[in-house]
Amino acid sequence: MDITFDHVSYTYQPNSPFEHHALKDLSFQFSSGSFVAVIGHTGSGKSTLIQHLNGLVQPTEGAVSIGSYHLQAGKKNKKLRELREKVGVVFQYPEHQLFEETVEKDIAFGPSNFGVGEEDIKQRTKEAISAVHLSEDMLQRSPFDLSGGQMRRVAIAGVLAMDPDVLVLDEPTAGLDPRGQKEIMDMFARLHKQKQLTTVLVTHSMEDALNYADHVIILKDGEVYKEGAPLEIFKEKEALQSVQLDVPEVIEFLGEVERTLDEKISYQGQSIAELAKELAQVVKGGRDHE
Amino acid sequence: MENSKIEFRNVSFRYQEDMPWVLKNVSFTISADEWVAIIGHNGSGKSTIAKLMNGLLFPQEGEIYVNGQKVSRETIWDVREKVGMVFQNPDNQFVGTTVRDDVAFGMENHGMPRELMLERIETSLAAVGMQGYEEQEPHRLSGGQKQRVAIASVLAVSPKYIILDEATAMLDPKGRKEILKTVLEVQEQRNLCLVTITHDLLEVTQADRVMVMNEGEVWLEASPREVFSKQEQLQEIGLDTPFITKLADELKAAGISLTREPLNHQELLEELWTLRSTM
Amino acid sequence: MSSSMMIGQYIPAGSFIHKLDPRTKIAIIFFFVVIVFFANSVMSYGLLTLFAVGSAFATKIRVRYILKGLKPVWFLIAFTFLLHLFVTREGEVIATVFGWELYREALIQGSTISLRFFLLIMVTSLLTLTTTPIEITDAIEQLLGPFKRFRFPAHELALMMSISLRFIPTLMQETEKISKAQASRGVDFRTGSFKDRIKAVIPLLVPLFVSAFKRAEELAMAMEARGYKGGEGRTKLRELHIGWKDYVVYGLFILLMAGLFLTRN
């Protein structure tokens, strides 16, 4: 689904001493099927932004469109339920939302709230559990007997079972070990392609933004600070550093190569092995200077 | 002091009789002025080590000595004054209703006089860069700030050893950097022993020594350089290596012979620069 | 965002009543509650009202906030008054409205009892308006201290109160977070039948309890690691101090009591 923010502002507790402008005149759009990374420090407005995507909050000013759904300041949307079925949100530490006696019931919770038929739910539950790489034997276990990483996968399966068109991920790998982080991100990348989802990823990891996203939005104090393709955005090292954000390590390193060895290797998503080959040529002096 | 070290002698531990051993016959020594990083995937027993060090758990077999004193139910109060701990979740270790109260909590427990508390609150908050936040309530602080308060609380009791049990795992990169910087400064100023249990590879490369845990055993105890030179074996036990290590390995595969395992960008670049000028 | 969250009704205004030792405030309120029942003349009630209203002004808190705090009890006060008008049948009839007779005693008793009620609530609410919850906790620990010898857990009680105070905002943030997560999974907390709404609470309560228990466990471990071993041998950073302001207040209160006994019938 296409997503458009049109001059969206959001203010917490307006006209009170605690008034706080979380989003200020935010405008951007991306088309169906994009993988968008939203980056910014704590307090930059990221979590307020994603709450607009399934109508958990309404813009104080401006309008948000998600496919054919519209959220407009001051107007009540009567189709919130439908919208929430179409937009699945994986919150930070999603394992905290588990509550059912069995994994199966917890995964089925979302779809049954949206009135999906029983047979259909069974099918979806199976698909979802295998999508998150857990075995079907787990379905009858209590989610509270699982390890932290497994609980997170169950919670994600619960969102996938809603069969959403848009998947919103709020730091889905926070607190996992590096291996778990990579597994989860690879899983989302695969689902994104397979199910032709529109994915919005909130992350602190520049590497994830570089590796998985095709569009990056950097927020600062509730405003869009930078926006564009990852490779373009990460070229602007100074601009990023001035808001205390890093560039991905590989780009940082290639910049240093250019400075010390005076050789430019531009990054176009090469693997480490490919980079090593290019670098080896530089060192051996056999690199063509066309 | 001669006995300034933490010693594990043939320590085995399990949570319950019918459960598998979490630690199996583990022995090692950590001396009072070094920084040791303990790594290992989840369930490798690394957090259990931390809890054994200050008597939150007791081993079924073997002994643990802190500065020559055996850790037992009788000595835990002494031990806990020497070994301070910072845990993973910033919220669940903040006891006081304000920053000042939280820093005081440990000192109150150890029965320190009030005048000393006031002085130490000031100096330890200054050491972690949190002066001016004395009256703040925890829910108005960021995760990184809460962790700095947690470190200040530990410092206030003036321990010899500080254990950070995945203390940066729940923080954003900015908070993580802040904590690491804080801890390093403090370690240098106060000459402390630092034990960090972590997944953060950058942190590991900076430590003096690394202990790799796997399935309840000490799999390897070596310098960071040595540890990361065993890339393949590390991956087999589920551990990642830094970007620069991976790149160095691929460079070797591409026929570039490096004289030593690089730990950071600069080391690799210097070596490449030298190589190019000699080729 | 819960930046507006306020526990209790504390309103900082920096008045001298705010700065009194919380023990003084609790003691004065205790005795005030007792002496209110000794008043029995217009003059004596006048004195007590003067004291209560005077204290309220001395807090420098705006009248509207003070009255707002009394909101839930206005109804009770009015109800007490009306009840007396209808139930009490003593003294002479002073008015007849549509056959219903208003007795003199009914009016007097109704007024005095509602006035007492009002005075009690007002004075106690001044305590919570001018004293932070943690100060009240400290005061309670100190005041109950002497009962420790009868194995009364004064320290534990105070610690429990202060940890609860510390975690209320955290748990409120958590509630908000979980309810948003469940709303995203299609739970509707706002509409539906009573039964549906009760059902909607379960997905909120279970995770909250699970998390609260986990927090409690981790907190206990962190406290132990920091050397907590009960109240024995513990020193305290927070100190309560009885100063000249407190003595002035005690003095005034003694004058009030003297005045009260002089103006009684």
Side-chain angles (χ1 to χ4, degrees):
Chain A
M1 293 200 274
D2 296 340
I3 295 175
T4 311
F5 273 57
D6 184 17
H7 298 284
V8 172
S9 297
Y10 187 82
T11 309
Y12 285 98
Q13 299 173 298
N15 307 322
S16 82
F18 305 105
E19 187 177 83
H20 172 65
H21 302 280
L23 298 179
K24 298 169 200 159
D25 198 27
L26 213 58
S27 292
F28 55 80
Q29 63 177 72
F30 40 86
S31 48
S32 193
S34 312
F35 196 126
V36 183
V38 180
I39 296 176
H41 287 300
T42 312
S44 60
K46 289 173 302 180
S47 47
T48 311
L49 188 156
I50 58 172
Q51 288 179 39
H52 281 85
L53 296 174
N54 74 343
L56 284 174
V57 296
Q58 282 247 322
T60 324
E61 274 169 61
V64 177
S65 322
I66 302 110
S68 59
Y69 302 93
H70 302 285
L71 298 169
Q72 205 162 353
K75 273 195 198 163
K76 229 182 155 190
N77 186 309
K78 293 199 181 75
K79 291 187 191 159
L80 272 185
R81 242 182 125 69
E82 272 177 56
L83 173 64
R84 286 187 189 160
E85 190 177 357
K86 294 279 186 324
V87 180
V89 185
V90 176
F91 282 93
Q92 237 183 79
Y93 299 102
E95 58 273 24
H96 293 171
Q97 74 197 29
L98 300 175
F99 73 100
E100 280 283 13
E101 297 150 64
T102 66
V103 168
E104 183 171 28
K105 281 188 187 167
D106 213 294
I107 296 177
F109 182 66
S112 68
N113 280 331
F114 291 116
V116 176
E118 226 168 279
E119 277 308 301
D120 215 2
I121 290 181
K122 273 226 153 87
Q123 185 59 31
R124 285 193 193 183
T125 309
K126 277 186 188 165
E127 275 175 28
I129 196 94
S130 75
V132 296
H133 297 300
L134 291 177
S135 77
E136 281 186 30
D137 323 335
M138 286 225 174
L139 288 174
Q140 296 315 317
R141 288 175 63 183
S142 159
F144 299 107
D145 290 340
L146 307 180
S147 75
Q150 289 170 330
M151 282 170 84
R152 173 139 340 162
R153 283 161 193 259
V154 170
I156 292 170
V159 175
L160 295 179
M162 288 158 46
D163 201 13
D165 295 334
V166 179
L167 199 53
V168 180
L169 312 169
D170 189 358
E171 292 181 46
T173 61
L176 296 179
D177 63 15
R179 185 191 255 191
Q181 291 185 8
K182 188 165 186 315
E183 282 170 4
I184 295 275
M185 280 317 299
D186 286 345
M187 176 190 93
F188 283 126
R190 207 189 54 243
L191 284 168
H192 174 79
K193 278 204 194 104
Q194 246 173 33
K195 306 208 159 192
Q196 290 166 331
L197 299 171
T198 307
T199 306
V200 180
L201 167 73
V202 171
T203 184
H204 284 299
S205 161
M206 300 295 151
E207 333 298 313
D208 284 352
L210 180 67
N211 292 337
Y212 301 102
D214 46 41
H215 193 83
V216 174
I217 295 175
I218 296 181
L219 289 184
K220 190 195 167 221
D221 300 332
E223 291 172 80
V224 176
Y225 178 70
K226 290 274 166 195
E227 190 193 353
L231 285 175
E232 296 304 309
I233 295 280
F234 292 130
K235 269 183 194 158
E236 302 182 54
K237 193 177 162 189
E238 280 76 29
L240 290 173
Q241 281 177 340
S242 74
V243 291
Q244 289 177 296
L245 291 172
D246 295 322
V247 290
E249 193 173 4
V250 55
I251 291 179
E252 171 90 48
F253 179 74
L254 290 178
E256 287 162 7
V257 167
E258 195 178 336
R259 258 171 283 139
T260 33
L261 302 178
D262 201 24
E263 289 280 353
K264 189 167 171 57
I265 298 174
S266 61
Y267 184 72
Q268 281 133 354
Q270 299 97 315
S271 69
I272 293 184
E274 287 163 347
L275 282 176
K277 274 184 201 132
E278 285 186 55
L279 207 53
Q281 278 189 334
V282 168
V283 173
K284 287 174 184 160
R287 197 173 189 236
D288 302 329
H289 290 269
E290 59 266 54
Chain B
M1 219 167 39
E2 205 183 324
N3 267 330
S4 305
K5 59 189 176 196
I6 295 181
E7 234 189 311
F8 272 51
R9 291 189 199 157
N10 307 98
V11 170
S12 295
F13 177 84
R14 57 181 168 187
Y15 283 92
Q16 270 163 37
E17 287 241 343
D18 51 351
M19 292 207 336
W21 292 99
V22 182
L23 290 180
K24 300 168 199 160
N25 197 19
V26 169
S27 299
F28 61 83
T29 307
I30 293 173
S31 55
D33 53 355
E34 61 176 344
W35 173 7
V36 177
I38 304 181
I39 58 173
H41 64 82
N42 290 338
S44 62
K46 54 190 191 331
S47 275
T48 308
I49 290 184
K51 288 177 187 129
L52 286 165
M53 277 182 188
N54 76 344
L56 290 171
L57 298 173
F58 296 99
Q60 279 84 11
E61 284 166 32
E63 291 110 47
I64 296 156
Y65 292 87
V66 173
N67 284 6
Q69 192 171 30
K70 187 179 163 187
V71 181
S72 70
R73 279 177 219 284
E74 289 72 49
T75 59
I76 44 174
W77 309 117
D78 284 345
V79 168
R80 285 178 192 162
E81 224 175 313
K82 294 189 191 96
V83 184
M85 259 183 104
V86 180
F87 297 90
Q88 181 179 19
N89 192 317
D91 261 317
N92 299 354
Q93 55 186 316
F94 204 111
V95 188
T97 41
T98 63
V99 168
R100 183 202 303 278
D101 288 317
D102 193 60
V103 177
F105 182 75
M107 295 190 280
E108 293 177 327
N109 292 336
H110 291 295
M112 291 187 189
R114 190 165 181 274
E115 288 67 43
L116 187 62
M117 284 197 229
L118 291 172
E119 190 192 309
R120 292 261 180 101
I121 288 171
E122 207 172 298
T123 51
S124 47
L125 281 178
V128 299
M130 287 291 286
Q131 62 273 67
Y133 286 87
E134 288 82 356
E135 299 302 328
Q136 283 286 333
E137 293 169 359
H139 63 277
R140 303 202 192 281
L141 301 176
S142 72
Q145 288 175 324
K146 278 181 231 178
Q147 289 302 67
R148 280 196 273 162
V149 173
I151 294 171
S153 313
V154 166
L155 288 179
V157 185
S158 179
K160 303 277 183 287
Y161 306 86
I162 295 188
I163 305 170
L164 303 186
D165 187 1
E166 297 194 40
T168 58
M170 289 178 77
L171 306 180
D172 60 15
K174 198 171 145 200
R176 213 170 282 180
K177 271 189 225 160
E178 279 171 15
I179 294 296
L180 199 58
K181 194 171 147 257
T182 306
V183 167
L184 285 182
E185 280 170 10
V186 166
Q187 195 217 4
E188 202 147 302
Q189 280 165 18
R190 307 202 173 192
N191 220 345
L192 289 166
C193 166
L194 196 58
V195 180
T196 54
I197 290 160
T198 184
H199 291 301
D200 188 336
L201 298 171
L202 183 73
E203 209 176 299
V204 178
T205 58
Q206 296 176 45
D208 298 322
R209 207 150 59 85
V210 183
M211 258 172 63
V212 185
M213 295 300 297
N214 187 40
E215 293 180 356
E217 288 171 30
V218 180
W219 184 80
L220 180 68
E221 226 183 319
S223 69
R225 205 179 296 284
E226 226 180 304
V227 168
F228 287 129
S229 68
K230 300 186 191 309
Q231 200 189 174
E232 271 174 41
Q233 292 101 303
L234 285 174
Q235 273 172 356
E236 274 167 31
I237 62 166
L239 291 174
D240 203 9
T241 49
F243 165 77
I244 213 72
T245 315
K246 287 183 192 151
L247 185 63
D249 255 39
E250 294 294 348
L251 278 170
K252 282 177 212 157
I256 300 285
S257 54
L258 301 171
T259 53
R260 61 170 185 175
E261 186 69 32
L263 275 184
N264 51 46
H265 294 188
Q266 211 188 334
E267 285 183 7
L268 180 61
L269 286 168
E270 273 168 19
E271 192 138 355
L272 291 177
W273 193 86
T274 326
L275 272 172
R276 189 178 62 167
S277 51
T278 54
M279 266 186 180
Chain C
M1 283 286 150
S2 341
S3 49
S4 69
M5 222 143 43
M6 221 167 66
I7 311 167
Q9 316 165 284
Y10 178 72
I11 296 174
S15 77
F16 99 97
I17 298 217
H18 283 77
K19 288 174 192 147
L20 286 178
D21 189 297
R23 288 171 298 180
T24 304
K25 289 188 254 187
I26 292 176
I28 295 285
I29 285 163
F30 180 79
F31 287 113
F32 187 83
V33 170
V34 175
I35 63 170
V36 160
F37 293 93
F38 286 95
N40 65 359
S41 67
V42 177
M43 270 293 276
S44 56
Y45 273 111
L47 262 179
L48 290 177
T49 313
L50 189 71
F51 178 79
V53 174
S55 312
F57 275 104
T59 61
K60 291 192 191 163
I61 294 171
R62 273 192 247 162
V63 181
R64 121 182 120 90
Y65 284 123
I66 298 176
L67 294 181
K68 213 165 125 194
L70 299 177
K71 218 171 171 184
V73 290
W74 279 130
F75 168 76
L76 273 175
I77 293 173
F79 181 75
T80 318
F81 182 68
L82 287 174
L83 196 70
H84 273 280
L85 290 195
F86 285 97
V87 176
T88 311
R89 291 166 172 276
E90 281 169 50
E92 60 206 87
V93 177
I94 50 169
T96 312
V97 185
F98 299 116
W100 170 74
E101 293 162 326
L102 175 62
Y103 291 85
R104 186 190 172 85
E105 275 303 303
L107 195 62
I108 293 175
Q109 280 198 23
S111 323
T112 52
I113 294 194
S114 341
L115 181 63
R116 271 184 202 169
F117 205 17
F118 169 75
L119 289 175
L120 295 183
I121 304 280
M122 163 119 152
V123 172
T124 27
S125 78
L126 287 185
L127 173 73
T128 49
L129 284 166
T130 63
T131 323
T132 58
I134 194 72
E135 275 182 310
I136 297 179
T137 308
D138 287 338
I140 289 176
E141 180 173 7
Q142 293 261 331
L143 290 171
L144 295 177
F147 296 102
K148 271 185 199 159
R149 72 181 64 164
F150 307 115
R151 301 223 172 156
F152 185 83
H155 161 73
E156 285 77 6
L157 188 73
L159 184 74
M160 236 165 67
M161 283 172 65
S162 95
I163 288 177
S164 316
L165 290 171
R166 145 76 186 90
F167 274 93
I168 286 169
T170 308
L171 290 177
M172 282 175 76
Q173 284 170 349
E174 185 126 334
T175 310
E176 198 185 321
K177 203 193 106 180
I178 295 171
S179 69
K180 279 186 172 158
Q182 306 298 31
S184 303
R185 293 210 281 168
V187 177
D188 192 344
F189 293 105
R190 295 211 178 89
T191 54
S193 67
F194 182 69
K195 203 180 140 207
D196 285 344
R197 277 199 242 184
I198 293 289
K199 261 171 85 182
V201 174
I202 294 169
L204 183 61
L205 280 188
V206 174
L208 260 179
F209 272 101
V210 170
S211 128
F213 279 117
K214 189 172 170 244
R215 283 184 194 283
E217 210 174 289
E218 288 188 19
L219 186 73
M221 176 148 306
M223 285 169 63
E224 230 191 287
R226 281 160 73 181
Y228 180 73
K229 48 179 185 256
E232 208 64 24
R234 213 166 174 269
T235 44
K236 283 201 59 109
L237 175 71
R238 285 180 176 279
E239 270 187 349
L240 298 175
H241 240 57
I242 302 270
W244 64 270
K245 290 194 187 91
D246 298 278
Y247 292 118
V248 170
V249 170
Y250 287 125
L252 282 173
F253 194 73
I254 290 170
L255 285 180
L256 176 74
M257 289 205 289
L260 179 74
F261 285 99
L262 287 176
T263 54
R264 283 187 73 197
N265 282 340

